[in-house]
Amino acid sequence: MERKWWTLVLISIATFMLLLDITVVNVALPDIQRELHASLSSLQWVVDAYSLTLAAFLLTAGSLGDRLGRRRVFSFGFGIFTFASLLCGIAGDPTLLNLARGLQGVGGAAMFATSLALIGQEFHGRDRATAFAVWGATIGGAVAVGPLVGGVLTEHLGWEWIFFVNVPIGIAAIALTELRLANVAAQEPEPIDIPGLVTFSAALFLLILGLIRGNPDGWGSPQILAALIGSAVLLGAFLAIERRSAHPMLDLTLFRKPAFNGVSAVAFGLSASMFAMFLYITIYIQSVLGYSPLEAGLRFLPLTLLSFGVAFVSGTISDRVPTRYLLGIGLGTVGVGLLLMHGVDADSEWTALLAGFCVAGAGIGLTNPGIGTAAIGVVPPAKAGMGSGINTTFRQVGIATGVAGLGAIFQSRIESELSNTLPHAKSGLAEVVASGGSKAASQVVPPNTRVEVAHAATVAFTTALNEILLIGAIIAFVGAALGLVLVRPQDFVPQGAPAEAEAAPAAA
């Protein structure tokens, strides 16, 4: 088999693992909450610790791939991700789990940041369209089977196995990467942008910390104000550093191209809307409607199978249909899907989500290949790693801020609803409802009030869920409009012949 096809196979495996790790975790969250006695904040960090460190290190990893060799950085990241998966599986409390999830994000950053660049390095012309079709279908496939895999593993082996399963796959993939992929490196590697890395990572951490802890600690409390103000100051410092740096990890000149801004907005919008909503929809299906992890996974199938199928079709036509239409129509369709999910109430069944699942799944499948095509198509080939890293950073920042921001609104609305219906409810009930649904709420109150509390909790939960579904739809529509307007054909850069490898790997 030719080198480029080995590259595509291994990139697809890596992408599948990285995204599978998000979808399987969503289904396992209620079990993690029960077994580790985790609060809503801890559950948010299970998602956000991964997304946050992944976002924080993507730019550096992408630049390192351009400088030191994309295969080298990709393989090193695979090793970190595999080791961190083992640590996640043996974690005995929420803090250790979240620290291991953070380490997973560091490894994932190195894998994600170099994936698109490796495809761009090896594929050109019609083969590139085929490669992105496979890559887009892989994303859809990970979303498709993730809930089912998570449900089966959680229900029959325990939530720890959603992480243990990564270990043997990771070891085999690392060996093949070293044997089959080419390591293309810059002739004169530039130094790492340490000041940029530190300020960007710290700014993201303080932002997510402030959003997640805002409700429990109070939005006007000194620690929350300090976190949010500190985040803004550090982000400003990061931009100033990048503007003046001779070797920035974020080349701000790339944002002079409208298309680069457009695809970044679409990547952020998709993640902050639909992907961030998965956490809260999963809690609703399992902890309010009462389905098991496997049953919940089966109910996600309409969304996930459509995402898979449409992604493959979208990828195959990406060289014939203007990318702006794939991005704008795709993300707009996701927004319509979220609106169709809006309207659930205390008496709704899971089928109230079905139409929205189908429409949103088609939108995800339509959008993802276009994001990949545009992310490296509008930057010079020498900066493909940086372009890939920036785009994936917007994806992960979208998930992290979406989960935290929507979660803050979600819990605040639950508190407001409970204060109206249960004015004498005990302190902390709102967080119990937000993280564990009506069942969890009924278990922490006296037996004679359980029916009343369970009903009030369900009403509060569905009211809050409807509110964040509406917000998610607005985010998707704004991102769709930006993609449609900004992604212009004239901003795409002609791609040259594949770069020569630093050292050719063994032939298959």
Side-chain angles (χ1 to χ4, degrees):
M1 188 163 64
E2 291 181 61
R3 187 182 75 202
K4 63 182 180 181
W5 299 115
W6 274 114
T7 300
L8 182 59
V9 167
L10 289 165
I11 293 302
S12 298
I13 291 172
T15 302
F16 189 86
M17 286 179 65
L18 290 169
L19 293 172
L20 188 71
D21 219 56
I22 296 173
T23 52
V24 297
V25 167
N26 280 330
V27 174
L29 284 174
D31 275 43
I32 293 173
Q33 189 271 331
R34 284 192 297 271
E35 292 191 22
L36 300 185
H37 308 291
S39 64
L40 175 63
S41 295
S42 294
L43 287 183
Q44 289 173 314
W45 276 114
V46 172
V47 176
D48 275 349
Y50 177 74
S51 297
L52 182 62
T53 54
L54 201 157
F57 286 93
L58 272 167
L59 295 177
T60 297
S63 297
L64 280 175
D66 291 338
R67 295 165 183 172
L68 306 179
R70 292 157 190 164
R71 186 206 66 199
R72 187 174 296 156
V73 173
F74 177 80
S75 184
F76 184 68
F78 226 140
I80 294 176
F81 182 85
T82 302
F83 176 67
S85 297
L86 177 63
L87 295 181
C88 287
I90 62 177
D93 63 67
T95 300
L96 292 177
L97 175 59
N98 290 330
L99 288 172
R101 286 284 285 166
L103 185 60
Q104 264 193 319
V106 175
M111 297 161 68
F112 245 141
T114 51
S115 292
L116 288 179
L118 282 165
I119 292 176
Q121 166 187 303
E122 298 290 344
F123 289 91
H124 301 270
R126 287 185 175 273
D127 281 350
R128 176 173 285 193
T130 301
F132 278 120
V134 173
W135 181 77
T138 299
I139 293 176
V143 175
V145 305
L148 281 178
V149 171
V152 170
L153 293 175
T154 302
E155 203 163 312
H156 296 289
L157 297 176
W159 64 264
E160 299 89 348
W161 281 90
I162 65 175
F163 300 110
F164 288 149
V165 73
N166 292 334
V167 177
I169 298 173
I171 291 171
I174 292 167
L176 285 172
T177 297
E178 290 297 316
L179 289 171
R180 300 299 183 189
L181 267 62
N183 192 55
V184 176
Q187 296 298 314
E188 298 178 3
E190 299 174 351
I192 299 173
D193 180 12
I194 298 296
L197 172 63
V198 172
T199 51
F200 183 71
S201 302
L204 274 183
F205 176 79
L206 290 177
L207 173 62
I208 303 305
L209 178 65
L211 291 174
I212 286 180
R213 296 302 306 169
N215 280 321
D217 295 346
W219 290 100
S221 63
Q223 57 267 39
I224 298 302
L225 289 175
L228 296 178
I229 293 171
S231 174
V233 171
L234 285 168
L235 185 58
F238 168 72
L239 293 175
I241 289 168
E242 298 308 284
R243 190 175 293 114
R244 292 170 173 79
S245 175
H247 308 289
M249 71 178 193
L250 174 60
D251 186 350
L252 296 178
T253 62
L254 293 176
F255 291 96
R256 294 174 185 169
K257 280 192 174 183
F260 193 79
N261 295 318
V263 70
S264 298
V266 170
F268 179 90
L270 179 61
S271 294
S273 58
M274 191 66 240
F275 289 147
M277 280 299 309
F278 278 133
L279 168 62
Y280 305 102
I281 294 173
T282 300
I283 294 174
Y284 170 68
I285 291 175
Q286 291 188 237
S287 299
V288 175
L289 298 183
Y291 290 105
S292 70
L294 179 56
E295 290 170 337
L298 288 170
R299 278 152 184 81
F300 274 111
L301 270 181
L303 182 153
T304 53
L305 289 177
L306 274 166
S307 173
F308 175 77
V310 174
F312 187 79
V313 175
S314 174
T316 57
I317 64 173
S318 62
D319 61 334
R320 298 189 295 276
V321 176
T323 304
R324 65 194 302 174
Y325 295 129
L326 296 178
L327 299 178
I329 295 173
L331 189 52
T333 303
V334 171
V336 172
L338 288 167
L339 285 182
L340 289 173
M341 295 180 218
H342 182 272
V344 295
D345 58 35
D347 299 318
S348 294
E349 297 293 335
W350 81 272
T351 48
L353 301 171
L354 183 56
F357 275 4
C358 293
V359 173
I364 292 169
L366 196 60
T367 308
N368 268 322
I371 292 176
T373 300
I376 64 170
V378 299
V379 301
K383 292 187 176 180
M386 182 182 289
S388 173
I390 292 171
N391 182 263
T392 312
T393 297
F394 273 92
R395 282 180 181 264
Q396 298 307 317
V397 171
I399 292 176
T401 56
V403 166
L406 292 177
I409 297 168
F410 182 67
Q411 188 174 344
S412 177
R413 186 57 189 269
I414 287 175
E415 287 177 354
S416 175
E417 289 293 315
L418 289 178
S419 67
N420 292 331
T421 55
L422 298 172
H424 303 297
K426 72 175 203 173
S427 175
L429 182 61
E431 185 167 7
V432 173
V433 174
S435 61
S438 51
K439 284 186 174 182
S442 66
Q443 292 169 359
V444 297
V445 297
N448 62 320
T449 64
R450 284 180 180 172
V451 174
E452 177 191 4
V453 169
H455 179 72
T458 300
V459 171
F461 192 104
T462 53
T463 300
L465 182 64
N466 281 322
E467 185 161 321
I468 61 174
L469 280 168
L470 182 59
I471 294 170
I474 293 171
I475 293 171
F477 288 137
V478 171
L482 291 172
L484 200 57
V485 170
L486 296 175
V487 179
R488 311 175 306 175
Q490 61 264 37
D491 287 336
F492 282 73
V493 176
Q495 304 293 313
E500 290 300 320
E502 180 184 78

